C-alpha cells in the first residue's frame, strides 16, 4: 500500500505569533478579530451561493494559511475572503461564476455597512476592477502555497469516531457544529485533523454531559495526546467568549488596485504612446523628406494639390508679379 501525505502545512504557536501581520505592526487582538471576520464572510457567502459545507471549510483553511504567509496590511481581508471562496469552489469541483461570487460578496459588504442593497453592475468599470483584483490575489495565493492546496478536514473523522463509540445523533450534531466553528480559529494550521477531531468530540461530550470511555483512552486511537485534546477544546471555548467580530481596516481598502497593477497599466500606456509616436514620426518623415519619397505616393500627390491650390489663389488675388508670364512664340518667317 502506497501512502502519500501532502497535508503538510502546519505552523507552531511561536511562528503564528510572529506572522507577517504581527511583524507589520498589527495588534494581536486585531489579527484574531480579522481572521474570525474573514471566516464568517466565507461561511455566509458560501451559504448564499448554495455551496456545500466542504467548500466553505476549505475556503476558511486557505484563508488562515494565506495570512501565515502574507500580511493583512498588504492584502485586505475582504478581497482574500472572496478569493478563498472562489478558489475553494474550484478545488472541490463545485465552481461558481466570477460574476456570481463578486455579486454575492458585494451584497454582503453593503449590507454589513448599512448601505443600500444595489446590485453589482457587471458592465461597470468597478466590476472590472474587482474581477482583476480577484484573479491577482488568487495567483498570489497559489504562489504562496507552492500550488499545494490539499486540505484534510476533521468532520469525517468526528462522525466516524462517534459512530464507533456509539454516540447518538444529538452528540454527532453538536460535534459537527463545533467542527464548523473551529474553522474560525487557527487550529487548522496548528494541529492535524485527528487532533482537532478528538478535541471537538471531547468538548461536545462535555457540553452534553455524555460520558466517554477512558480506559483505554479513546483519543489514543488516533495517536493524539491528552494535552492536544485539552488545547483544542480550550481554543474553541475561547472563541465563544469573544465579542462578534467586526471589520477594521489595517491596509489598503478592499477592491483598490494594487501598486503592481498600477505600474503595469502605466507601462502599457507608455508603450502605446511610444508606438503611436513612432508611427507619427514615420509619417512625418515621409511627409517632409521629399528626396527619399516616391513622387507617386499619396503624400506627394497631396502636396502637389495644395501647391496648385495656393498658386490659383494667388493668381485670383491679382498678384501679377508672382504670376507666371508666358512669352508668345514669334511666327516663323522665310527670307
Amino acid at each position: 500500500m502506497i501512502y502519500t501525505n501532502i497535508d503538510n502545512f502546519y505552523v507552531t504557536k511561536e511562528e503564528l505569533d510572529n506572522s507577517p501581520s504581527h511583524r507589520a505592526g498589527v495588534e494581536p487582538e486585531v489579527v484574531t478579530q480579522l481572521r474570525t471576520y474573514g471566516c464568517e464572510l466565507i461561511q455566509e457567502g458560501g451559504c448564499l451561493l448554495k455551496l456545500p459545507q466542504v467548500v466553505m471549510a476549505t475556503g476558511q483553511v486557505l484563508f488562515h494559511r494565506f495570512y501565515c504567509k502574507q500580511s493583512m496590511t498588504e492584502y485586505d481581508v475582504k478581497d482574500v475572503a472572496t478569493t478563498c471562496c472562489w478558489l475553494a469552489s474550484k478545488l472541490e469541483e463545485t465552481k461558481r461564476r466570477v460574476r456570481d461570487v463578486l455579486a454575492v460578496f458585494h451584497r454582503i459588504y453593503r449590507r454589513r455597512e448599512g448601505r443600500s442593497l444595489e446590485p453589482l453592475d457587471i458592465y461597470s468599470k468597478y466590476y472590472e476592477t474587482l474581477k482583476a483584483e480577484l484573479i491577482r490575489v488568487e495567483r498570489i495565493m497559489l504562489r504562496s502555497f507552492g500550488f499545494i492546496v490539499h486540505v484534510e478536514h476533521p468532520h469525517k473523522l468526528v462522525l466516524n469516531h462517534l459512530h464507533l463509540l456509539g454516540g447518538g445523533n444529538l452528540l454527532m450534531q453538536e460535534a459537527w457544529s463545533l467542527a464548523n466553528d473551529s474553522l474560525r480559529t487557527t487550529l487548522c494550521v496548528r494541529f492535524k485533523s485527528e487532533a482537532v477531531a478528538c478535541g471537538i468530540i471531547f468538548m461536545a461530550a462535555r457540553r452534553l454531559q455524555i460520558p466517554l470511555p477512558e480506559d483505554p483512552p479513546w483519543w489514543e486511537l488516533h495517536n493524539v495526546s491528552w494535552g492536544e485534546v485539552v488545547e483544542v477544546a480550550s481554543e474553541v471555548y475561547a472563541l465563544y467568549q469573544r465579542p462578534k467580530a467586526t471589520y477594521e481596516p489595517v491596509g489598503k481598502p478592499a477592491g483598490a488596485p494594487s501598486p503592481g497593477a498600477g505600474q503595469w497599466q502605466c507601462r502599457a500606456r507608455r508603450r502605446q504612446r511610444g508606438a503611436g509616436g513612432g508611427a507619427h514620426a514615420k509619417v512625418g518623415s515621409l511627409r517632409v523628406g521629399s528626396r527619399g519619397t516616391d513622387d507617386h505616393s499619396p503624400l506627394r500627390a497631396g502636396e502637389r494639390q495644395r501647391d496648385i491650390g495656393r498658386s490659383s489663389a494667388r493668381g485670383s488675388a491679382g498678384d501679377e508679379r508672382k504670376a507666371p508670364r508666358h512669352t508668345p512664340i514669334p511666327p516663323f518667317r522665310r527670307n
Side-chain angles (χ1 to χ4, degrees), residues 22-35:
H22 291 85
R23 293 196 300 267
V26 184
E27 296 294 332
E29 295 80 7
V30 178
V31 173
T32 304
Q33 176 182 337
L34 290 179
R35 281 181 178 270

Side-chain angles (χ1 to χ4, degrees), residues 1 24 27-28 39 43 56 73 99 111 139 141 177-178 182 185 187 190 196 199 207 217 258 269 274 279 299 318 333:
M1 178 178 180
E27 296 294 332
C39 292
Q43 185 72 27
M56 294 173 276
T73 58
R99 64 171 66 179
R111 185 176 62 81
R139 292 176 178 177
M141 188 175 297
S177 300
L178 292 176
S182 68
T185 66
L187 293 174
R190 291 178 51 200
V196 177
R207 295 185 67 174
S258 63
R269 295 193 192 100
L299 293 176
R333 295 180 181 181

Side-chain angles (χ1 to χ4, degrees), residues 303-313:
E303 291 179 3
R304 289 197 296 269
Q305 292 292 337
R306 287 195 296 272
D307 293 339
I308 293 173
R310 291 168 187 166
S311 300
S312 60

Side-chain angles (χ1 to χ4, degrees), residues 97-150:
R97 297 184 301 179
V98 178
R99 64 171 66 179
D100 297 336
V101 175
L102 291 177
V104 164
F105 279 89
H106 174 75
R107 183 184 184 279
I108 293 175
Y109 299 149
R110 295 186 69 91
R111 185 176 62 81
R112 287 178 176 249
E113 295 171 1
R115 302 163 64 184
S116 60
L117 301 181
E118 297 180 0
L120 179 62
D121 185 7
I122 62 175
Y123 300 104
S124 63
K125 188 176 181 180
Y126 177 65
Y127 171 78
E128 295 296 332
T129 303
L130 292 179
K131 182 178 179 181
E133 184 69 10
L134 178 72
I135 298 174
R136 185 187 72 91
V137 175
E138 182 198 23
R139 292 176 178 177
I140 295 175
M141 188 175 297
L142 292 175
R143 185 180 61 187
S144 301
F145 298 155
F147 289 87
I148 299 178
V149 291
H150 180 73

Side-chain angles (χ1 to χ4, degrees), residues 64-260:
H64 287 295
R65 289 182 179 182
F66 181 75
Y67 282 120
C68 291
K69 297 289 187 178
Q70 304 295 338
S71 174
M72 293 181 177
T73 58
E74 297 181 5
Y75 303 96
D76 190 81
V77 171
K78 295 181 179 180
D79 295 336
V80 176
T82 306
T83 306
C84 288
C85 187
W86 184 51
L87 178 59
S89 67
K90 295 192 293 184
L91 294 176
E92 301 298 340
E93 298 182 358
T94 53
K95 182 181 177 181
R96 296 294 186 268
R97 297 184 301 179
V98 178
R99 64 171 66 179
D100 297 336
V101 175
L102 291 177
V104 164
F105 279 89
H106 174 75
R107 183 184 184 279
I108 293 175
Y109 299 149
R110 295 186 69 91
R111 185 176 62 81
R112 287 178 176 249
E113 295 171 1
R115 302 163 64 184
S116 60
L117 301 181
E118 297 180 0
L120 179 62
D121 185 7
I122 62 175
Y123 300 104
S124 63
K125 188 176 181 180
Y126 177 65
Y127 171 78
E128 295 296 332
T129 303
L130 292 179
K131 182 178 179 181
E133 184 69 10
L134 178 72
I135 298 174
R136 185 187 72 91
V137 175
E138 182 198 23
R139 292 176 178 177
I140 295 175
M141 188 175 297
L142 292 175
R143 185 180 61 187
S144 301
F145 298 155
F147 289 87
I148 299 178
V149 291
H150 180 73
V151 179
E152 287 288 343
H153 299 297
H155 299 67
K156 177 176 60 177
L157 299 175
V158 167
L159 296 181
N160 291 339
H161 198 81
L162 286 177
H163 182 73
L164 182 63
L165 294 175
N169 294 332
L170 184 61
L171 181 58
M172 290 185 180
Q173 182 62 49
E174 181 70 18
W176 183 271
S177 300
L178 292 176
N180 291 333
D181 293 341
S182 68
L183 295 171
R184 303 179 187 180
T185 66
T186 57
L187 293 174
C188 56
V189 294
R190 291 178 51 200
F191 298 98
K192 291 188 176 182
S193 57
E194 293 84 358
V196 177
C198 293
I200 291 301
I201 293 174
F202 170 76
M203 187 174 183
R206 282 299 181 93
R207 295 185 67 174
L208 297 178
Q209 298 182 358
I210 297 177
L212 295 176
E214 296 183 359
D215 188 18
W218 56 270
W219 55 85
E220 293 182 355
L221 180 64
H222 298 290
N223 296 325
V224 178
S225 64
W226 174 249
E228 293 176 334
V229 173
V230 174
E231 190 169 358
V232 169
S234 301
E235 188 74 18
V236 177
Y237 178 78
L239 173 67
Y240 296 137
Q241 306 305 315
R242 305 192 193 110
K244 182 175 178 58
T246 56
Y247 176 74
E248 183 173 345
V250 294
K252 71 179 185 64
S258 63

